Amino acid sequence: MNNTPAKADQGRYGLGYRGTECLNCGHPLDLSDKFCSNCSQANSTKKLSIKDFLDEFFASFISYDSKLLKTLSSLVLKPGKITRDYINGKRVSYTNPFRFLLSLAIVYFLILGITGDFEQIDFFPTQEKASTFDLRATIDTLDYSNQKEKEQMMAVADSLNFANFVLRYGKHRDSALNANPRSYYETLKDESGLSRFFKKQDFFQTLFQNGSIRTFDDAISKYGIENTSENKFAFTSGKSFARIKERPGDFIKTMVSRLPFAVFFFLPVFALFIWLAYIRKRYNYTDHLIFSFHITSLLFILLIISYLVDTIFKVSSNWLFLTIFSVYLFQALRKFYGQNVFKTIVKYLFLNTIFFILALVSTILMIAGNIITY
Ligand SMILES: [Zn+2]
């Protein structure tokens, strides 16, 4: 045994304070054990002084910081290396990939949520309540200091308009509804399937907007609507649409705040395709999932930097950072899976295509999901 104590053996970690049983979990210990082999608490029976307490507090910060720094530098500077290290068992020196990605996603969407002034749309006077759902035109008239932010809002408005169009296609609402809701509703019963559902939804939305009903019970008692699950569902989504129309900014804010969680539905599916592309490699599904967590973490880092650069210098640097990401992704695939350039190009193109299809599908699903639960 080494008789000259290292720095970590001094103070409360010194030999004189060691016990034969862990104070945290009761695991039997030897006096030579610096830490419990069961729960890794330090083997020290000394009562904490203020200095010990502060030391412990800062030590945990410093160890977290060094983990974070190592994770960041390895991820940014050596594409593919961090994933390789992690799945080969070098885990303690890196931050957990899932937690790392979740933190980055939350930071990114917090920045968006704080700086994006979505609510100002709500206070814009709505001229004609019954007119088309023209959020884009409303945003266009608003004063944005940051041009990129305005573009983002426009993009959200477009997808909302698209969702609204999809959900309300084939609508032929006429004055019949307003003149006599009850008999208008009777005519809907002849319609079939989806068309009937969307017309009912539109029916409820209109009644909700002009204040005739507030709850589903109102609809039952006032207009003799049957209490079926289809009607209830049509009522809920109609009501959501009415509320979105009333306060679109609020809705966008809710949606943006839920975006980080969409990533975690998207990635497991994407990892399945990576697994398919590299089916002959000895990696299992979890390995591919960790790879996609690391890749997405880098994407969020670039998005955060890009956003900060744009805000500070009033430029649009998206294209630059997306180019960096494309190059990085290629390098990471090459380094992690270790195949030649030609094979990597083929898989790179395949995975890119899948990525965009999945992104499109999950965007549509998410907007639909948000409309229903809003
Ligand atoms: Zn223990």
Side-chain angles (χ1 to χ4, degrees):
M1 238 196 91
N2 194 351
N3 283 325
T4 50
K7 202 153 195 219
D9 294 334
Q10 288 170 346
R12 60 183 290 254
Y13 300 107
L15 263 175
Y17 290 115
R18 298 217 181 130
T20 52
E21 192 178 85
C22 173
L23 293 181
N24 183 49
C25 70
H27 189 76
L29 295 176
D30 193 86
L31 287 182
S32 68
D33 293 333
K34 266 199 253 175
F35 297 94
C36 169
S37 58
N38 186 43
C39 73
S40 75
Q41 172 164 292
N43 179 9
S44 168
T45 56
K46 183 179 184 286
K47 274 209 162 298
L48 286 184
S49 67
I50 282 290
K51 185 180 168 296
D52 293 335
F53 184 69
L54 289 178
D55 281 352
E56 188 143 293
F57 174 77
F58 285 113
S60 67
F61 257 108
I62 289 162
S63 91
Y64 182 74
D65 271 5
S66 67
K67 255 190 192 188
L68 198 65
L69 276 181
K70 186 162 182 200
T71 307
L72 271 174
S73 69
S74 174
L75 180 70
V76 172
L77 300 176
K78 295 171 194 144
K81 182 182 183 293
I82 186 170
T83 317
R84 184 163 277 222
D85 277 359
Y86 199 85
I87 68 165
N88 283 341
K90 286 188 190 162
R91 290 184 198 133
V92 174
S93 43
Y94 295 115
T95 314
N96 174 288
F98 181 75
R99 201 181 310 151
F100 187 59
L101 174 60
L102 184 64
S103 316
L104 282 170
I106 289 176
V107 168
Y108 178 63
F109 289 107
L110 269 183
I111 297 179
L112 279 193
I114 290 167
T115 55
D117 192 5
F118 304 120
E119 263 117 354
Q120 63 170 310
I121 304 171
D122 288 342
F123 300 112
F124 197 80
T126 37
Q127 311 92 336
E128 304 135 36
K129 280 252 167 188
S131 76
T132 48
F133 192 66
D134 205 356
L135 192 52
R136 196 184 170 87
T138 310
I139 293 167
D140 203 29
T141 59
L142 292 176
D143 193 30
Y144 275 91
S145 51
N146 183 342
Q147 193 54 34
K148 192 184 157 203
E149 197 176 294
K150 189 166 183 171
E151 279 163 24
Q152 279 170 344
M153 294 296 293
M154 290 284 200
V156 177
D158 283 347
S159 40
L160 269 177
N161 271 336
F162 178 68
N164 197 40
F165 170 76
V166 169
L167 290 171
R168 301 179 69 180
Y169 79 103
K171 144 199 125 155
H172 294 289
R173 182 152 44 97
D174 45 69
S175 49
L177 195 165
N178 285 317
N180 192 342
R182 197 183 273 258
S183 62
Y184 175 81
Y185 178 77
E186 289 302 315
T187 65
L188 296 184
K189 290 178 177 169
D190 304 331
E191 302 270 346
S192 62
L194 273 180
S195 155
R196 181 181 65 220
F197 174 78
F198 287 124
K199 284 185 176 167
K200 279 184 179 175
Q201 177 208 290
D202 189 50
F203 169 78
F204 288 123
Q205 181 183 337
T206 310
L207 291 184
F208 197 86
Q209 267 164 213
N210 63 30
S212 323
I213 54 171
R214 297 310 292 173
T215 62
F216 188 59
D217 288 338
D218 288 351
I220 296 175
S221 59
K222 266 188 165 168
Y223 301 107
I225 311 292
E226 305 88 350
N227 190 358
T228 64
S229 52
E230 180 192 286
N231 286 348
K232 222 169 194 164
F233 191 50
F235 172 82
T236 312
S237 59
K239 183 177 156 187
S240 297
F241 263 118
R243 288 179 55 205
I244 293 166
K245 244 172 131 167
E246 235 168 74
R247 304 181 67 86
D250 228 24
F251 173 72
I252 294 172
K253 193 160 189 163
T254 311
M255 198 163 83
V256 167
S257 71
R258 285 178 191 172
L259 267 175
F261 306 102
V263 173
F264 296 98
F265 292 103
F266 174 84
L267 284 182
V269 182
F270 188 57
L272 213 65
F273 284 95
I274 305 182
W275 181 62
L276 270 180
Y278 289 98
I279 194 128
R280 287 160 75 192
K281 287 272 158 187
R282 63 202 152 73
Y283 298 129
N284 65 18
Y285 175 74
T286 315
D287 299 339
H288 299 295
L289 190 64
I290 290 172
F291 179 78
S292 52
F293 281 165
H294 281 142
I295 287 292
T296 317
S297 299
L298 188 96
L299 179 63
F300 275 117
I301 292 173
L302 291 176
L303 285 174
I304 291 170
I305 299 174
S306 165
Y307 192 87
L308 295 178
V309 167
D310 289 2
T311 313
I312 296 168
F313 300 105
K314 306 243 177 281
V315 289
S316 185
S317 63
N318 260 343
W319 62 272
L320 174 67
F321 285 94
L322 285 177
T323 311
I324 295 175
F325 181 69
S326 319
V327 176
Y328 181 95
L329 179 61
F330 185 79
Q331 272 306 103
L333 282 175
R334 210 152 124 53
K335 286 271 149 59
F336 181 65
Y337 293 103
Q339 288 189 328
N340 64 35
V341 174
F342 178 72
K343 275 187 174 174
T344 307
I345 288 177
V346 173
K347 288 172 184 184
Y348 179 78
L349 293 177
F350 167 73
L351 289 175
N352 267 307
T353 315
I354 296 292
F355 185 90
F356 281 109
I357 294 172
L358 279 181
L360 193 71
V361 170
S362 34
T363 308
I364 292 171
L365 282 180
M366 213 194 71
I367 291 173
N370 273 297
I371 288 169
I372 290 161
T373 57
Y374 179 65

